[in-house]
């Protein structure tokens, strides 16, 4: 059963998961074991609730089940050391953990969610581990759902998660907010993980990959939650705006036959108006009080696109100016590629091609399909049909993405 | 990124090994598989039976023809594969370099697996 068929139960589970986990870790201090216990409770709920109905207090239900599983785990772990077991079980955990009357699963997120995010996005973990653990521990997704979204066997994903937890344990990281002087860097790491989760879902081919689409929804949901906790972080607001403005293109970004449609050719009436309005509001707001960072600048660029009701009305000088700032504060080959495409719209294709020259000298980038694709586009604009054709063909060979290859083959076919 | 490591070796390779070589090959394979499972990089992998147990299907004179044996005749045959999900091509090559067939006359071809995801340009 996919989440899209059961949105109500899924939403309850996902909102409650980090809160239940936070309370368990607060009480027992063993992130590793607590996270397993919560996962088991989520699995039990995912099986039972659709059949038996959602309990009156879903969070209390999850807490009780997770707590019982945790105690079972502690008990079996300590079976040879009964004295310790007695100590661990001395406090009536259920009573301590019971939520206050009137408390329910839609209770507002608290610092526990933040602490969990910092822990799951620990800089000692690899990106795939950070992503997997964040989706499970903070997002409340089950291992099977995460594995399906990343198209790997469930056992592989389970192993990635337990390895990540072992790594966290080894670093001695604890369930607390990082010290103030590290907070900024650690938050950037969290934002990066949320951004990667979003991208995984967004780039999935539309229609066919519901489980990957789920990643986009989850990334936006987690970023929104985080923003209620840290409303004063400009980059966090910028990231949320960027996600919304990007996601607003979802229905227009591929044709009925699954072929990718470039921004300039998208049917803008199919853009999601609600997401655009919210994204624009967030961008406008954050730029008034925050020092612009990379996410805010990318969101601002997306906002300029969103404001053009037709591609011809795009304010390219404004976009070029934003890319110039972005390339100064966060230089990166992908920024240069986009900057070159924007510059070409203002100063002509040759000016754009000039910007690409340094990338062609970089061994890694020289073999990147995106560089070949942008070169092809600019060469075509410049009227050099033959070179454009050969660059489109080269880009099609270099990409490992099937939809991109199809798009590039079509461009080559158009010229050839 | 997902990669397929395609293993090539001469047919009958395993039978031709001495006990010591066989122990080395299977020991290495077990250890690599265990490491890849532990690292969460393993997607799958299988050894293939001798090509004499297989058939090749192709169009011949406008007809679908089925013949005994491998698709490509050659000293080396496709004998198995390993699918991994790892950080980079370099990492996939590193895994390939540790595969024992290389030291016993075989070789591996590392190929990126096409992704169904893609970004509009």
């Amino acid at each position: 059963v996919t989440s899209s068929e059961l949105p109500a139960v899924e939403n309850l589970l996902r909102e409650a998961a980090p809160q239940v986990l936070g309370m368990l870790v607060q009480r027992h201090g063993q992130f590793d074991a607590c996270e397993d216990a919560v996962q088991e409770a989520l699995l039990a709920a995912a099986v039972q609730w659709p059949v038996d109905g959602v309990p009156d207090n879903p969070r209390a239900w999850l807490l009780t089940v997770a707590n019982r599983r945790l105690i079972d785990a502690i008990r079996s772990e300590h079976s040879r050391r009964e004295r310790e077991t007695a100590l661990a079980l001395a406090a009536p955990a259920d009573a301590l953990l019971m939520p206050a009357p009137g408390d329910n699963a839609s209770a507002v997120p608290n610092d526990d969610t933040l602490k969990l995010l910092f822990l799951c996005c620990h800089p000692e973990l690899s990106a795939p581990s950070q992503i997997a653990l964040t989706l499970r521990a903070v997002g409340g997704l089950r291992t099977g759902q995460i594995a399906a979204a990343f198209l790997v066997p469930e056992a592989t994903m389970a192993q990635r998660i337990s390895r990540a937890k072992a790594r966290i344990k080894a670093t001695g990281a604890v369930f607390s907010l990082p010290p103030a002087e590290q907070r900024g860097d650690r938050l950037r790491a969290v934002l990066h993980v949320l951004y990667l989760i979003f991208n995984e879902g967004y780039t999935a081919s539309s229609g066919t990959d519901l489980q990957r689409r789920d990643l986009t929804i989850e990334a936006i949901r987690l970023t929104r939650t985080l923003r209620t906790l840290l409303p004063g972080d400009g980059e966090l607001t910028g990231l949320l705006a960027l996600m919304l403005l990007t996601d607003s293109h979802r229905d227009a970004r591929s044709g009925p036959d699954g072929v990718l449609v470039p921004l300039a050719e998208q049917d803008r009436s199919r853009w999601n108006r609600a997401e655009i309005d919210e994204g624009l509001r967030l961008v406008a707001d954050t730029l008034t009080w925050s020092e612009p960072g990379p996410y805010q600048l990318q969101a601002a660029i997306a906002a300029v696109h969103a404001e053009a009701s037709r591609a011809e009305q795009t304010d390219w000088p404004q976009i070029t100016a934003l890319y110039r700032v972005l390339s100064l504060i966060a230089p990166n080959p992908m920024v240069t590629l986009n900057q070159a495409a924007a510059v070409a719209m203002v100063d002509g294709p040759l000016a754009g091609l000039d910007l690409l020259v340094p990338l062609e000298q970089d061994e890694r980038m020289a073999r990147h399909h995106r560089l070949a694709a942008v070169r092809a586009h600019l060469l075509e604009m410049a009227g050099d049909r033959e070179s454009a054709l050969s660059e489109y063909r080269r880009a099609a060979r270099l990409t490992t993405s099937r939809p991109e290859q199809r798009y590039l083959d079509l461009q080559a076919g158009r010229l050839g | 990124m997902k990669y397929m490591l395609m293993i090539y070796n001469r047919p009958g390779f395993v039978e031709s090994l001495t006990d010591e070589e066989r122990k080395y090959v299977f020991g290495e394979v077990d250890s690599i598989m265990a490491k890849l499972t532990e690292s969460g990089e393993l997607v799958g992998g299988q050894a293939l039976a001798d090509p004499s147990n297989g058939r090749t299907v192709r169009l011949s004179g406008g007809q679908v023809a089925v013949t005994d044996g491998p698709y490509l005749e050659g000293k080396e045959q496709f004998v198995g594969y390993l699918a991994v999900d790892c950080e980079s091509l370099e990492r996939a090559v590193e895994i390939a370099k540790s595969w024992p067939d290389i030291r016993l006359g075989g070789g591996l071809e590392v190929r990126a697996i096409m992704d169904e995801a893609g970004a509009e340009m």
Side-chain angles (χ1 to χ4, degrees):
Chain A
V1 184
T2 66
S3 61
S4 54
E5 284 162 318
L6 283 175
V9 168
E10 274 301 319
N11 280 334
L12 281 174
L13 292 178
R14 293 182 189 192
E15 273 166 23
Q19 300 171 6
V20 172
L21 178 54
M23 291 173 102
L24 272 194
V25 180
Q26 206 68 266
R27 165 83 178 82
H28 297 277
Q30 301 177 36
F31 172 68
D32 190 359
C34 293
E35 203 275 331
D36 279 338
V38 172
Q39 176 71 196
E40 286 180 39
L42 292 173
L43 276 168
V47 173
Q48 289 179 31
W49 294 4
V51 179
D52 301 342
V54 176
D56 291 338
N57 188 337
R59 189 161 66 141
W61 190 99
L62 287 169
L63 201 49
T64 307
V65 174
N67 199 57
R68 206 179 296 140
R69 299 289 164 99
L70 180 65
I71 288 171
D72 286 349
I74 294 173
R75 195 173 274 147
S76 68
E77 192 190 321
H78 288 284
S79 59
R80 282 168 300 165
R81 293 177 286 168
E82 270 162 277
R83 250 155 37 94
E84 277 154 311
T85 310
L87 277 176
L89 301 177
D94 277 343
L96 281 173
L97 286 165
M98 263 319 177
D103 214 0
N104 60 49
S106 63
V108 287
N110 56 28
D111 272 3
D112 284 357
T113 302
L114 198 53
K115 291 176 195 166
L116 285 175
L117 275 169
F118 280 127
L119 206 54
C120 295
C121 304
H122 196 281
E124 287 286 315
L125 302 181
S126 69
S129 298
Q130 291 172 325
I131 290 169
L133 191 55
T134 299
L135 285 171
R136 203 172 91 150
V138 196
L141 270 71
R142 269 84 72 209
T143 313
Q145 294 174 311
I146 306 169
F150 286 90
L151 309 166
V152 298
E154 186 165 342
T156 300
M157 194 48 82
Q159 190 53 40
R160 242 176 238 182
I161 289 164
S162 61
R163 188 179 152 93
K165 290 198 290 183
R167 185 89 200 97
I168 287 177
K169 207 169 181 175
T171 62
V174 287
F175 181 66
S176 64
L177 294 176
E181 72 274 12
Q182 290 175 17
R183 199 85 51 92
D185 285 346
R186 295 290 299 276
L187 183 60
R188 295 305 141 233
V190 171
L191 298 191
H192 185 60
V193 169
L194 295 174
Y195 178 72
L196 292 177
I197 293 172
F198 175 83
N199 254 345
E200 274 293 328
Y202 180 73
T203 54
S205 37
S206 67
T208 57
D209 262 328
L210 283 177
Q211 275 146 331
R212 297 187 83 171
R213 163 75 180 134
D214 206 19
L215 295 177
T216 317
I217 298 169
E218 193 52 28
I220 292 175
R221 194 182 69 79
L222 286 175
T223 308
R224 233 187 248 291
T225 303
L226 187 55
R227 189 164 170 271
T228 62
L229 297 166
L230 300 170
D233 190 275
E235 275 295 85
L236 170 53
T237 302
L239 176 60
L240 179 58
L242 177 61
M243 286 178 179
L244 290 166
L245 291 168
T246 307
D247 198 50
S248 72
H249 303 161
R250 168 158 292 276
D251 290 342
R253 69 183 286 266
S254 56
D257 44 0
V259 176
L260 290 167
V261 181
L263 198 58
E265 289 164 30
Q266 288 176 12
D267 173 0
R268 296 182 179 216
S269 70
R270 302 187 67 201
W271 285 2
N272 183 319
R273 205 59 239 175
E275 284 185 311
I276 290 178
D277 290 343
E278 188 185 357
L280 290 178
R281 213 166 41 240
L282 290 170
V283 174
D285 171 61
T286 177
L287 289 175
T288 62
W289 52 265
S290 169
E291 186 94 348
Y295 291 123
Q296 290 164 83
L297 287 166
Q298 289 176 79
I301 292 164
V304 178
H305 284 297
E307 278 165 342
S309 51
R310 288 185 298 121
E312 305 78 60
Q313 290 168 342
T314 308
D315 186 351
W316 287 108
Q318 173 74 359
I319 289 177
T320 307
L322 288 165
Y323 270 122
R324 194 157 47 236
V325 181
L326 185 57
S327 71
L328 287 174
I329 66 166
N332 146 342
M334 292 304 146
V335 171
T336 310
L337 283 178
N338 290 325
Q339 188 184 7
V343 163
M345 298 303 287
V346 179
D347 300 325
L350 298 181
L353 285 165
D354 275 350
L355 275 180
L356 297 178
V357 173
L359 299 185
E360 288 151 27
Q361 258 108 63
D362 179 308
E363 202 188 321
R364 235 192 140 81
M365 274 314 289
R367 295 173 53 85
H368 200 290
H369 71 279
R370 296 273 301 181
L371 174 57
V374 173
R375 271 182 56 80
H377 174 64
L378 299 188
L379 285 164
E380 187 185 352
M381 272 176 82
D384 185 348
R385 206 181 158 98
E386 207 172 314
S387 307
L389 172 63
S390 92
E391 282 296 86
Y392 275 128
R393 289 218 168 110
R394 208 169 77 83
R397 270 199 310 279
L398 288 172
T399 183
T400 58
S401 150
R402 218 184 335 224
E404 288 174 11
Q405 187 171 64
R406 212 159 149 224
Y407 168 77
L408 293 162
D409 279 338
L410 282 173
Q411 300 309 307
R414 198 169 42 77
L415 296 181
Chain B
M1 271 304 299
K2 292 196 181 73
Y3 294 92
M4 188 176 282
L5 281 52
M6 298 154 65
I7 307 157
Y8 289 84
N9 213 328
R10 56 189 187 280
F13 152 77
V14 175
E15 293 74 44
S16 72
L17 297 176
T18 64
D19 280 354
E20 204 178 312
E21 285 170 333
R22 188 185 298 251
K23 230 173 106 189
Y24 161 75
V25 169
F26 287 107
E28 285 297 293
V29 168
D30 284 350
S31 132
I32 294 169
M33 296 300 260
K35 275 188 217 153
L36 293 176
T37 304
E38 208 270 329
S39 67
E41 291 173 312
L42 185 68
V43 175
Q46 297 285 319
L48 303 182
D50 189 90
S52 63
N53 294 306
R55 299 285 182 276
T56 291
V57 181
R58 71 175 103 211
L59 206 62
S60 173
Q63 300 281 320
V64 176
V66 180
T67 52
D68 288 350
Y71 186 78
L72 293 171
E73 291 294 344
K75 237 174 41 227
E76 273 107 33
Q77 298 294 341
F78 182 37
V79 296
Y81 76 92
L82 199 61
V84 295
D85 183 7
C86 61
E87 203 72 43
S88 60
L89 175 61
E90 286 70 25
R91 170 65 187 142
V93 168
E94 187 184 307
I95 296 165
K97 279 159 95 176
S98 66
W99 200 257
D101 286 63
I102 296 170
R103 274 140 210 99
L104 293 163
L108 275 82
E109 182 177 352
V110 180
R111 296 276 293 269
I113 295 176
M114 288 298 269
D115 199 329
E116 290 305 323
E120 63 267 38
M121 291 172 230

